[in-house]
Amino acid sequence: MKNQHLIEVLEHVKKRNPNEPEFIQAVTEVFESLDVVADRRPDLIEAGVFERIVEPERQIIFRVPWVDDNGKVQVNRGFRIQFNSAIGPYKGGLRLHPSVYSGIIKFLGFEQIFKNSLTTLPMGGGKGGSDFDPKGKSDLEIMRFCQSFMTELARHIGPDCDVPAGDIGTGAREIGYMFGAYKRIKNDFSGVLTGKGLGFGGSLARTEATGFGLCYFTDEMLKANGKSFKDQTVVISGSGNVAIYATQKATQLGAKVVALSDSQGYIYDKNGIDLDLVKQLKEVERKRIKEYINTHADAEYHEGCSGIWTIPCDIALPCATQNEIDEAAAKALAANGCYCVSEGANMPSTPEAINVYFENNMLYGPAKAANAGGVATSGLEMSQNSQRMAWTFEAVDEKLHDIMRDIFAQCDSAAKEYGMPGNYMAGANIAGFLKVAEAMKAQGCV
Ligand code: NDP
């Protein structure tokens, strides 16, 4: 990074957020792409856009007390970050995972600003969650936690102010409990959460959207470079919402997905993953991925997550969590012939891994563009709620497909315009940033 103003703002971010490495990592990546924008746009420097965009508009941290099945009081910490509302109400998911702390929520909220901007829909950036671990909890414990969480969160959200959604650990069940609690507290039936059940305002295709959208984006990127999913071997990490529907769409597009994982290990099935079984294990029975080999004798199970990147493949779709591909994993992918990495998870590649992709001329689809299909479809759910209408699966899927094509086109053309053709990471950062920056400038110093 050469632009003096950006160097100074980044230094300030580091000093102000000393114990939040994920947030600093996310800001550094975006600023490196914006070097050339800062050079060309002194008016944005003058308007203080760079200083303002790295500081959340509002952060809420709160106590979440709940009673477990043994009658014992448990206390978790809840977070909501309302990062930027320049182009629309705050929008972003709620993560329930023991690793959650302010640095994770802040990096996710920051990324969300640019992702939401790329979707072409009017949504600002937000994120939230808790260090609550849903694993091993009973249904009633989950419900009591969600109700307590919403007791505080309800004061800060609303259909025209801030609309949370799911993320790691927050699926349809948790959104249902939170929606019920919100409705009771506020006496208001509105589209205040997305990812709702189909019977009470949810959108068809929202469940599939992030995984499908990832494949639509990747397909565009492959086509622009003379390739396609057809007959390609694909490795996908995770076995949650994003991974499952990425597997389904990649398979529909002609690829063979040979591996999936969870936080304990990975499975390799050279015959292609049996997705019906994975859905049964993960969505219905909530079991570990290793159970897969009980009915598939040909498949292998390996403890630990990182080994999945040593499986030879053409295309890798990381769909589990942040920083899951480090430099060594990226080198292993490149050495085994992988030519494309496209991100379903948020920030799954370390900066060193991204360097390896570029050094090896691999196609790289960055998360904020490639996984934007989830939030885009949440935006479509908000539209349906406002209209009091429900669109068909096909109508939503078609809109999602159009949006992902558009996102790829924005990344491609911004990369070209700013002298970095084929660098879709730079293209995504620049295109996402410019729309928000223009709005911030137009609205004055707020
Ligand atoms: P889920 O909770 O449905 O699934 C997460 C998967 O990743 C599980 O298989 C989980 O394994 C695994 N995982 C979680 N944490 C770790 C870890 N520390 N190490 C290894 N594996 C881990 O979440 P989603 O599928 O919804 O989200 C996956 C990623 O996609 C996240 O980065 C999320 O932010 C991102 N994303 C999700 C969107 C959505 O619409 N759901 C939208 C855009 C991005 P286990 O079950 O063992 O914990």
Side-chain angles (χ1 to χ4, degrees):
M1 191 165 34
K2 295 192 197 71
N3 185 280
Q4 196 52 37
H5 181 69
L6 290 193
I7 291 171
E8 283 166 19
V9 176
L10 184 59
E11 275 314 303
H12 193 54
V13 168
K14 288 179 182 167
K15 280 203 190 105
R16 224 179 215 182
N17 306 279
N19 300 312
E20 299 179 344
E22 297 86 359
F23 177 54
I24 290 166
Q25 181 182 336
V27 176
T28 305
E29 184 215 286
V30 170
F31 271 26
E32 279 171 356
S33 302
L34 297 181
D35 216 16
V36 50
V37 179
D39 286 345
R40 283 195 206 176
R41 294 292 305 271
D43 59 313
L44 297 180
I45 295 178
E46 185 64 27
V49 166
F50 296 97
E51 290 98 320
R52 287 191 284 143
I53 207 164
V54 293
E55 189 62 24
E57 289 175 17
R58 192 171 298 108
Q59 298 182 69
I60 302 138
I61 301 182
F62 51 98
R63 182 170 71 193
V64 189
W66 55 280
V67 179
D68 70 18
D69 286 346
N70 298 318
K72 193 165 177 296
V73 172
Q74 302 286 340
V75 179
N76 285 98
R77 185 171 278 185
F79 299 87
R80 187 69 187 166
I81 191 155
Q82 299 179 332
F83 220 118
N84 192 298
S85 61
I87 63 167
Y90 310 106
K91 182 92 195 84
L94 297 169
R95 177 172 293 191
L96 301 182
H97 194 271
S99 64
V100 164
Y101 77 107
S102 57
I104 294 279
I105 299 300
K106 215 185 273 180
F107 112 69
L108 289 164
F110 183 70
E111 291 277 294
Q112 198 81 42
I113 303 170
F114 309 101
K115 182 187 309 193
N116 293 2
S117 162
L118 285 169
T119 65
T120 70
L121 303 174
M123 297 182 289
K127 199 79 192 188
S130 172
D131 57 1
F132 173 78
D133 186 358
K135 272 202 207 84
K137 303 288 190 300
S138 71
D139 248 10
L140 283 176
E141 287 176 325
I142 300 274
M143 184 178 76
R144 288 194 291 270
F145 168 82
C146 290
Q147 290 175 339
S148 176
F149 185 78
M150 186 50 81
T151 303
E152 175 61 34
L153 190 67
R155 299 172 211 266
H156 310 286
I157 62 176
D160 297 313
C161 160
D162 183 357
V163 184
D167 191 72
I168 290 179
T170 308
R173 173 180 58 170
E174 291 74 18
I175 292 289
Y177 291 148
M178 289 184 198
F179 182 76
Y182 178 89
K183 187 164 59 68
R184 184 168 192 214
I185 293 164
K186 295 285 210 180
N187 193 22
D188 180 29
F189 192 113
S190 63
V192 71
L193 287 161
T194 56
K196 300 184 289 297
L198 293 177
F200 52 97
S203 173
L204 285 162
R206 174 60 188 93
T207 306
E208 293 82 356
T210 309
F212 277 23
L214 168 65
C215 292
Y216 293 148
F217 178 93
T218 307
D219 196 36
E220 290 299 304
M221 180 167 70
L222 291 170
K223 281 197 280 195
N225 291 278
K227 309 222 180 249
S228 83
F229 268 112
K230 185 135 186 28
D231 299 328
Q232 302 299 283
T233 300
V234 178
V235 163
I236 299 182
S237 62
S239 50
N241 172 264
V242 182
I244 285 175
Y245 293 96
T247 302
Q248 184 167 322
K249 186 51 75 178
T251 308
Q252 276 172 12
L253 293 172
K256 182 159 81 169
V257 179
V258 295
L260 286 175
S261 63
D262 62 21
S263 56
Q264 291 179 351
Y266 67 93
I267 50 163
Y268 171 56
D269 187 341
K270 63 181 185 321
N271 301 319
I273 293 289
D274 173 354
L275 191 60
D276 288 339
L277 174 60
V278 174
K279 284 185 179 174
Q280 178 65 26
L281 290 174
K282 301 303 279 190
E283 293 186 332
V284 181
E285 297 172 21
R286 297 180 191 269
K287 287 192 173 151
R288 311 308 304 165
I289 198 72
K290 74 173 165 204
E291 307 274 338
Y292 185 94
I293 56 168
N294 295 345
T295 46
H296 284 70
D298 277 2
E300 299 166 17
Y301 174 74
H302 299 267
E303 285 288 333
C305 304
S306 57
I308 194 170
W309 308 118
T310 63
I311 298 171
C313 66
D314 302 301
I315 298 168
L317 304 177
C319 294
T321 195
Q322 64 275 353
N323 292 330
E324 56 174 310
I325 304 186
D326 60 9
E327 186 175 18
K331 283 184 172 162
L333 282 167
N336 285 326
C338 173
Y339 65 82
C340 172
V341 178
S342 199
E343 299 178 333
N346 282 311
M347 207 168 75
S349 308
T350 64
E352 296 76 22
I354 296 171
N355 288 341
V356 173
Y357 306 154
F358 287 127
E359 281 159 18
N360 287 277
N361 292 320
M362 293 160 80
L363 297 175
Y364 171 49
K368 60 173 74 68
N371 74 19
V375 72
T377 308
S378 282
L380 300 176
E381 182 173 331
M382 289 165 73
S383 304
Q384 293 170 75
N385 292 165
S386 300
Q387 288 182 332
R388 303 264 192 267
M389 296 275 287
W391 304 339
T392 62
F393 185 97
E394 290 71 25
V396 179
D397 189 37
E398 201 180 311
K399 284 190 172 58
L400 167 67
H401 204 155
D402 286 345
I403 289 171
M404 299 315 294
R405 279 195 201 99
D406 192 296
I407 292 175
F408 177 75
Q410 291 180 63
C411 298
D412 192 35
S413 78
K416 285 178 182 148
E417 193 185 332
Y418 282 84
M420 295 173 270
N423 183 341
Y424 306 118
M425 175 181 78
N429 287 332
I430 293 169
F433 167 78
L434 280 174
K435 182 175 167 193
V436 178
E438 303 292 6
M440 288 174 74
K441 186 182 159 199
Q443 291 169 26
C445 183
V446 289

